[in-house]
Amino acid sequence: MERPKDSFLILDFGSQYTQLIARRIREFNVYSEIHPYYFSLEEIKAWKPKGIILSGGPASVLSSDAYTVPLELFSLGIPILGICYGMQLMCKLLGGEVEKASHREYGSSQITLLENADLFRGFKKGKKLSVWMSHGDRIKTLPKDFIPTAKSLNSPIATCQNKKGTLFALQFHPEVHHTPQGKEMLSNFIFKVCKAKPSWTMKSFIDHSIEKVRHQVKNSHVILGLSGGVDSTVTAFLLHRALGDQLTLIFMNNGLLRLNEEQKVQDLFKNQKQMNLKYVDASQKFLSELKGVTDPEQKRKIIGRVFIEVFEEEAKKIPNAHFLAQGTLYPDVIESVTFKGGPSATIKSHHNVGGLPARMNLELIEPLRELFKDEVRSLGKELGIEEEFIYRQPFPGPGLAVRILGEITPERLELLRRADHVVVDEIKKAGWYRKVWQSFAVLLPIKTVGVMGDERTYEHVIALRVVKSEDGMTADWGELPYELLGKISNRIINEVKGVNRVVYDISSKPPSTIEWE
Ligand code: XMP
């Protein structure tokens, strides 16, 4: 496949931030690829990168089995930037000395610039910059022909470069948000040192993905489980461009969807694109299997199992289907690696339809696997998807089931749907919908006493949950104006029959979670 002329190669040593390096480079409209650190010298030469970045990694270069690269890499004449582990490896291989730091520098730190170095163009010698460190080793002595370019509190050599201006190393992570000037440093490497030209846009990403998917799928057929959320919607539009009729979307109604959701989703796909959309109404099956179940974990397990059973049955009816597409994003990938066995792993096992691919002998297609949520939204815009769908808040796979505490019955579902509709409606009208991560109603398993007219009432309680978050991993409760809270409460109590009380959830995650179950 054609690669843009000015491409960058990132050699990965296992840092949790490696994808972030690629993302920063994309932000400069430059193309990059991540390959494992053992990508061979022959492959690298054939690849002809404009520059190479050695990522960070959790190990120490001092250990006997440390990951490494061939020494010859540094004499190919290609500019190289080593970050964290990448810095220590570069210095060690070229004859410098690395040692365990007496005081480990983790988290926020400060460097002082010692030189008007190439990576620090735009900043004066002597300037102090905040940076993000995450390693226990440091450089003791430099390789021949290298100069130190910045120091930190615990390390006299926090950054360095060779005198020729082709090899560079940073002890900290320029790619993370917590290194505010990191972008400028990466930009200096890419544009000033490597002299790359920006040419990689979202449109190039689309063209590239289309070509890749066509190459992979050939004449087979692809199935995609559509939830109506941002990720699966964007995946569907992207794959439709690549495959047209070779793609079938399966949209399942599990009976746990929000008000009018099944119609909204079908309209989007039918009106806009005439895609092969198979609507499967399995709501009765789900609700009868959930009858009488109150335990949250059991609910999730039942929903996951029934989803797989129904999906499999439907998928089998599609001839020549060899691929299953999923809208997995990069944060889903890290989450399931970092938190194996934790609650997030459980979340994702449902989200990604669990063992389906292996069980059905389907190959996976995940075209968004390297992207972050905001990039997926830009991609969605480029693909012409309506804004309403692009900016949708996340909605959990098990749907309203995890927002109805206690038993799930058609009556309780109806009540929650109406209350939830009011919440979203008012939040949108007040301009808060895009400012928060999620805003929804929860139906509690208790009733409380109230008074209406001269009558005593004994009715349901709705909890209002509004959170701010970057990625759903941590969250703060949203500080909505009292006036808006009052309006939502009023409308729910007046419009939703069976509710006489609304409470506001003021807990953050951790130690709470966003959903109540
Ligand atoms: P919690 O409640 O764990 O939720 O703080 C974090 C984020 O994940 C969503 N969530 C799910 N998404 N399947 C999903 O696809 C699930 O089973 C699931 N459970 C929670 C939740 O809405 C929040 O955005």
mmCIF file of all heavy atoms in Angstrom, residues 344-373:
data_model
loop_
_atom_site.group_PDB
_atom_site.id
_atom_site.type_symbol
_atom_site.label_atom_id
_atom_site.label_comp_id
_atom_site.label_asym_id
_atom_site.label_seq_id
_atom_site.Cartn_x
_atom_site.Cartn_y
_atom_site.Cartn_z
ATOM 1 N N SER A 344 -13.274 -2.877 34.354
ATOM 2 C CA SER A 344 -13.245 -2.415 32.964
ATOM 3 C C SER A 344 -13.172 -3.590 31.999
ATOM 4 O O SER A 344 -13.748 -3.570 30.935
ATOM 5 C CB SER A 344 -12.043 -1.526 32.704
ATOM 6 O OG SER A 344 -11.771 -0.772 33.819
ATOM 7 N N ALA A 345 -12.444 -4.629 32.429
ATOM 8 C CA ALA A 345 -12.318 -5.784 31.540
ATOM 9 C C ALA A 345 -13.705 -6.388 31.318
ATOM 10 O O ALA A 345 -14.043 -6.796 30.219
ATOM 11 C CB ALA A 345 -11.377 -6.805 32.149
ATOM 12 N N THR A 346 -14.506 -6.410 32.367
ATOM 13 C CA THR A 346 -15.865 -6.940 32.233
ATOM 14 C C THR A 346 -16.672 -6.071 31.278
ATOM 15 O O THR A 346 -17.351 -6.576 30.405
ATOM 16 C CB THR A 346 -16.585 -6.952 33.605
ATOM 17 O OG1 THR A 346 -15.670 -7.424 34.562
ATOM 18 C CG2 THR A 346 -17.816 -7.833 33.549
ATOM 19 N N ILE A 347 -16.571 -4.756 31.443
ATOM 20 C CA ILE A 347 -17.284 -3.832 30.568
ATOM 21 C C ILE A 347 -16.958 -4.148 29.125
ATOM 22 O O ILE A 347 -17.833 -4.321 28.298
ATOM 23 C CB ILE A 347 -16.854 -2.366 30.847
ATOM 24 C CG1 ILE A 347 -17.417 -1.922 32.183
ATOM 25 C CG2 ILE A 347 -17.362 -1.434 29.751
ATOM 26 C CD1 ILE A 347 -16.880 -0.599 32.647
ATOM 27 N N LYS A 348 -15.697 -4.255 28.841
ATOM 28 C CA LYS A 348 -15.310 -4.412 27.451
ATOM 29 C C LYS A 348 -15.697 -5.773 26.909
ATOM 30 O O LYS A 348 -15.916 -5.911 25.731
ATOM 31 C CB LYS A 348 -13.823 -4.159 27.280
ATOM 32 C CG LYS A 348 -13.449 -2.747 27.618
ATOM 33 C CD LYS A 348 -14.332 -1.755 26.867
ATOM 34 C CE LYS A 348 -14.276 -0.414 27.497
ATOM 35 N NZ LYS A 348 -15.265 0.514 27.005
ATOM 36 N N SER A 349 -15.765 -6.786 27.769
ATOM 37 C CA SER A 349 -16.092 -8.089 27.216
ATOM 38 C C SER A 349 -17.524 -8.084 26.672
ATOM 39 O O SER A 349 -17.815 -8.745 25.700
ATOM 40 C CB SER A 349 -15.895 -9.206 28.233
ATOM 41 O OG SER A 349 -16.814 -9.045 29.267
ATOM 42 N N HIS A 350 -18.378 -7.292 27.266
ATOM 43 C CA HIS A 350 -19.715 -7.206 26.680
ATOM 44 C C HIS A 350 -19.684 -6.299 25.450
ATOM 45 O O HIS A 350 -20.177 -6.642 24.393
ATOM 46 C CB HIS A 350 -20.730 -6.647 27.675
ATOM 47 C CG HIS A 350 -22.061 -6.422 27.031
ATOM 48 N ND1 HIS A 350 -22.927 -7.443 26.787
ATOM 49 C CD2 HIS A 350 -22.626 -5.317 26.513
ATOM 50 C CE1 HIS A 350 -23.989 -6.973 26.162
ATOM 51 N NE2 HIS A 350 -23.826 -5.680 25.987
ATOM 52 N N HIS A 351 -19.045 -5.142 25.661
ATOM 53 C CA HIS A 351 -18.987 -4.127 24.622
ATOM 54 C C HIS A 351 -18.484 -4.715 23.300
ATOM 55 O O HIS A 351 -18.964 -4.407 22.234
ATOM 56 C CB HIS A 351 -18.050 -3.026 25.107
ATOM 57 C CG HIS A 351 -17.965 -1.870 24.192
ATOM 58 N ND1 HIS A 351 -19.058 -1.135 23.848
ATOM 59 C CD2 HIS A 351 -16.913 -1.324 23.543
ATOM 60 C CE1 HIS A 351 -18.676 -0.169 23.036
ATOM 61 N NE2 HIS A 351 -17.392 -0.267 22.832
ATOM 62 N N ASN A 352 -17.465 -5.564 23.406
ATOM 63 C CA ASN A 352 -16.856 -6.109 22.195
ATOM 64 C C ASN A 352 -17.415 -7.474 21.834
ATOM 65 O O ASN A 352 -16.733 -8.285 21.239
ATOM 66 C CB ASN A 352 -15.343 -6.199 22.368
ATOM 67 C CG ASN A 352 -14.740 -4.829 22.556
ATOM 68 O OD1 ASN A 352 -15.366 -3.835 22.228
ATOM 69 N ND2 ASN A 352 -13.558 -4.772 23.094
ATOM 70 N N VAL A 353 -18.630 -7.698 22.196
ATOM 71 C CA VAL A 353 -19.332 -8.969 21.978
ATOM 72 C C VAL A 353 -18.450 -10.190 22.246
ATOM 73 O O VAL A 353 -18.519 -11.196 21.542
ATOM 74 C CB VAL A 353 -20.034 -9.052 20.587
ATOM 75 C CG1 VAL A 353 -21.249 -8.186 20.561
ATOM 76 C CG2 VAL A 353 -19.127 -8.697 19.436
ATOM 77 N N GLY A 354 -17.696 -10.088 23.328
ATOM 78 C CA GLY A 354 -16.978 -11.213 23.926
ATOM 79 C C GLY A 354 -16.309 -12.173 22.969
ATOM 80 O O GLY A 354 -15.538 -11.772 22.110
ATOM 81 N N GLY A 355 -16.625 -13.427 23.166
ATOM 82 C CA GLY A 355 -15.929 -14.462 22.393
ATOM 83 C C GLY A 355 -16.536 -14.701 21.022
ATOM 84 O O GLY A 355 -16.218 -15.698 20.378
ATOM 85 N N LEU A 356 -17.384 -13.809 20.567
ATOM 86 C CA LEU A 356 -18.082 -14.037 19.294
ATOM 87 C C LEU A 356 -17.180 -14.393 18.112
ATOM 88 O O LEU A 356 -17.422 -15.387 17.431
ATOM 89 C CB LEU A 356 -18.911 -12.803 18.919
ATOM 90 C CG LEU A 356 -20.412 -12.925 18.995
ATOM 91 C CD1 LEU A 356 -21.054 -11.690 18.405
ATOM 92 C CD2 LEU A 356 -20.911 -14.156 18.255
ATOM 93 N N PRO A 357 -16.133 -13.578 17.837
ATOM 94 C CA PRO A 357 -15.335 -13.854 16.647
ATOM 95 C C PRO A 357 -14.786 -15.281 16.642
ATOM 96 O O PRO A 357 -14.904 -15.986 15.644
ATOM 97 C CB PRO A 357 -14.204 -12.835 16.729
ATOM 98 C CG PRO A 357 -14.675 -11.791 17.659
ATOM 99 C CD PRO A 357 -15.673 -12.404 18.571
ATOM 100 N N ALA A 358 -14.222 -15.712 17.789
ATOM 101 C CA ALA A 358 -13.633 -17.045 17.834
ATOM 102 C C ALA A 358 -14.735 -18.093 17.684
ATOM 103 O O ALA A 358 -14.618 -19.049 16.921
ATOM 104 C CB ALA A 358 -12.893 -17.224 19.147
ATOM 105 N N ARG A 359 -15.826 -17.898 18.411
ATOM 106 C CA ARG A 359 -16.929 -18.852 18.406
ATOM 107 C C ARG A 359 -17.515 -19.045 17.002
ATOM 108 O O ARG A 359 -17.877 -20.139 16.605
ATOM 109 C CB ARG A 359 -17.994 -18.264 19.333
ATOM 110 C CG ARG A 359 -19.068 -19.220 19.723
ATOM 111 C CD ARG A 359 -19.894 -18.549 20.786
ATOM 112 N NE ARG A 359 -21.287 -18.870 20.573
ATOM 113 C CZ ARG A 359 -22.148 -18.997 21.549
ATOM 114 N NH1 ARG A 359 -21.763 -18.820 22.793
ATOM 115 N NH2 ARG A 359 -23.398 -19.289 21.296
ATOM 116 N N MET A 360 -17.598 -17.940 16.276
ATOM 117 C CA MET A 360 -18.208 -18.044 14.947
ATOM 118 C C MET A 360 -17.172 -18.171 13.851
ATOM 119 O O MET A 360 -17.492 -18.138 12.677
ATOM 120 C CB MET A 360 -19.054 -16.801 14.673
ATOM 121 C CG MET A 360 -20.239 -16.706 15.581
ATOM 122 S SD MET A 360 -21.226 -15.288 15.139
ATOM 123 C CE MET A 360 -21.615 -15.627 13.451
ATOM 124 N N ASN A 361 -15.927 -18.270 14.272
ATOM 125 C CA ASN A 361 -14.857 -18.391 13.305
ATOM 126 C C ASN A 361 -14.812 -17.186 12.350
ATOM 127 O O ASN A 361 -14.684 -17.333 11.142
ATOM 128 C CB ASN A 361 -15.039 -19.700 12.537
ATOM 129 C CG ASN A 361 -13.711 -20.200 12.017
ATOM 130 O OD1 ASN A 361 -12.666 -19.650 12.394
ATOM 131 N ND2 ASN A 361 -13.744 -21.186 11.144
ATOM 132 N N LEU A 362 -14.941 -16.016 12.916
ATOM 133 C CA LEU A 362 -14.917 -14.794 12.104
ATOM 134 C C LEU A 362 -13.619 -14.039 12.379
ATOM 135 O O LEU A 362 -13.137 -14.022 13.503
ATOM 136 C CB LEU A 362 -16.081 -13.882 12.475
ATOM 137 C CG LEU A 362 -17.486 -14.388 12.141
ATOM 138 C CD1 LEU A 362 -18.524 -13.441 12.702
ATOM 139 C CD2 LEU A 362 -17.657 -14.534 10.636
ATOM 140 N N GLU A 363 -13.117 -13.397 11.367
ATOM 141 C CA GLU A 363 -11.918 -12.580 11.541
ATOM 142 C C GLU A 363 -12.360 -11.166 11.927
ATOM 143 O O GLU A 363 -13.374 -10.678 11.422
ATOM 144 C CB GLU A 363 -11.184 -12.515 10.212
ATOM 145 C CG GLU A 363 -9.703 -12.782 10.335
ATOM 146 C CD GLU A 363 -9.053 -12.761 8.962
ATOM 147 O OE1 GLU A 363 -9.215 -13.763 8.222
ATOM 148 O OE2 GLU A 363 -8.419 -11.748 8.643
ATOM 149 N N LEU A 364 -11.577 -10.518 12.789
ATOM 150 C CA LEU A 364 -11.973 -9.183 13.257
ATOM 151 C C LEU A 364 -11.483 -8.059 12.341
ATOM 152 O O LEU A 364 -10.388 -8.125 11.809
ATOM 153 C CB LEU A 364 -11.327 -8.923 14.620
ATOM 154 C CG LEU A 364 -12.141 -9.214 15.861
ATOM 155 C CD1 LEU A 364 -11.370 -8.755 17.081
ATOM 156 C CD2 LEU A 364 -13.485 -8.503 15.800
ATOM 157 N N ILE A 365 -12.326 -7.045 12.206
ATOM 158 C CA ILE A 365 -11.904 -5.813 11.523
ATOM 159 C C ILE A 365 -12.168 -4.664 12.484
ATOM 160 O O ILE A 365 -13.299 -4.472 12.924
ATOM 161 C CB ILE A 365 -12.721 -5.587 10.242
ATOM 162 C CG1 ILE A 365 -12.417 -6.681 9.243
ATOM 163 C CG2 ILE A 365 -12.452 -4.216 9.644
ATOM 164 C CD1 ILE A 365 -13.014 -6.436 7.884
ATOM 165 N N GLU A 366 -11.137 -3.931 12.820
ATOM 166 C CA GLU A 366 -11.309 -2.828 13.781
ATOM 167 C C GLU A 366 -10.647 -1.559 13.227
ATOM 168 O O GLU A 366 -9.541 -1.199 13.632
ATOM 169 C CB GLU A 366 -10.687 -3.217 15.125
ATOM 170 C CG GLU A 366 -11.377 -4.388 15.777
ATOM 171 C CD GLU A 366 -10.704 -4.832 17.067
ATOM 172 O OE1 GLU A 366 -9.470 -5.008 17.081
ATOM 173 O OE2 GLU A 366 -11.417 -4.996 18.071
ATOM 174 N N PRO A 367 -11.320 -0.866 12.316
ATOM 175 C CA PRO A 367 -10.651 0.256 11.636
ATOM 176 C C PRO A 367 -10.382 1.467 12.530
ATOM 177 O O PRO A 367 -9.612 2.341 12.141
ATOM 178 C CB PRO A 367 -11.621 0.621 10.508
ATOM 179 C CG PRO A 367 -12.927 0.060 10.893
ATOM 180 C CD PRO A 367 -12.682 -1.098 11.793
ATOM 181 N N LEU A 368 -10.997 1.530 13.720
ATOM 182 C CA LEU A 368 -10.779 2.708 14.572
ATOM 183 C C LEU A 368 -9.801 2.416 15.712
ATOM 184 O O LEU A 368 -9.647 3.213 16.627
ATOM 185 C CB LEU A 368 -12.107 3.184 15.187
ATOM 186 C CG LEU A 368 -13.296 3.335 14.244
ATOM 187 C CD1 LEU A 368 -14.483 3.887 15.008
ATOM 188 C CD2 LEU A 368 -12.945 4.252 13.079
ATOM 189 N N ARG A 369 -9.182 1.266 15.652
ATOM 190 C CA ARG A 369 -8.380 0.758 16.759
ATOM 191 C C ARG A 369 -7.265 1.695 17.230
ATOM 192 O O ARG A 369 -6.802 1.606 18.352
ATOM 193 C CB ARG A 369 -7.776 -0.568 16.310
ATOM 194 C CG ARG A 369 -7.486 -1.514 17.413
ATOM 195 C CD ARG A 369 -6.831 -2.753 16.849
ATOM 196 N NE ARG A 369 -5.965 -3.331 17.858
ATOM 197 C CZ ARG A 369 -6.411 -4.070 18.862
ATOM 198 N NH1 ARG A 369 -7.672 -4.365 18.951
ATOM 199 N NH2 ARG A 369 -5.586 -4.523 19.777
ATOM 200 N N GLU A 370 -6.810 2.556 16.331
ATOM 201 C CA GLU A 370 -5.697 3.427 16.724
ATOM 202 C C GLU A 370 -6.174 4.817 17.113
ATOM 203 O O GLU A 370 -5.376 5.670 17.477
ATOM 204 C CB GLU A 370 -4.721 3.560 15.560
ATOM 205 C CG GLU A 370 -3.967 2.275 15.326
ATOM 206 C CD GLU A 370 -3.268 2.257 13.998
ATOM 207 O OE1 GLU A 370 -3.230 3.304 13.329
ATOM 208 O OE2 GLU A 370 -2.768 1.189 13.631
ATOM 209 N N LEU A 371 -7.469 5.062 17.014
ATOM 210 C CA LEU A 371 -7.943 6.437 17.208
ATOM 211 C C LEU A 371 -8.484 6.691 18.612
ATOM 212 O O LEU A 371 -8.897 5.784 19.322
ATOM 213 C CB LEU A 371 -9.047 6.749 16.191
ATOM 214 C CG LEU A 371 -8.695 6.600 14.721
ATOM 215 C CD1 LEU A 371 -9.853 7.075 13.861
ATOM 216 C CD2 LEU A 371 -7.439 7.380 14.360
ATOM 217 N N PHE A 372 -8.492 7.961 18.976
ATOM 218 C CA PHE A 372 -9.081 8.398 20.232
ATOM 219 C C PHE A 372 -10.466 8.972 19.915
ATOM 220 O O PHE A 372 -10.751 9.332 18.769
ATOM 221 C CB PHE A 372 -8.182 9.453 20.876
ATOM 222 C CG PHE A 372 -6.880 8.881 21.378
ATOM 223 C CD1 PHE A 372 -5.856 8.561 20.498
ATOM 224 C CD2 PHE A 372 -6.683 8.649 22.726
ATOM 225 C CE1 PHE A 372 -4.662 8.014 20.947
ATOM 226 C CE2 PHE A 372 -5.489 8.107 23.191
ATOM 227 C CZ PHE A 372 -4.473 7.791 22.304
ATOM 228 N N LYS A 373 -11.283 9.091 20.957
ATOM 229 C CA LYS A 373 -12.684 9.476 20.745
ATOM 230 C C LYS A 373 -12.849 10.751 19.916
ATOM 231 O O LYS A 373 -13.667 10.802 19.000
ATOM 232 C CB LYS A 373 -13.356 9.666 22.116
ATOM 233 C CG LYS A 373 -14.849 9.732 22.056
ATOM 234 C CD LYS A 373 -15.410 8.343 22.047
ATOM 235 C CE LYS A 373 -16.898 8.286 22.174
ATOM 236 N NZ LYS A 373 -17.348 6.881 22.302
#
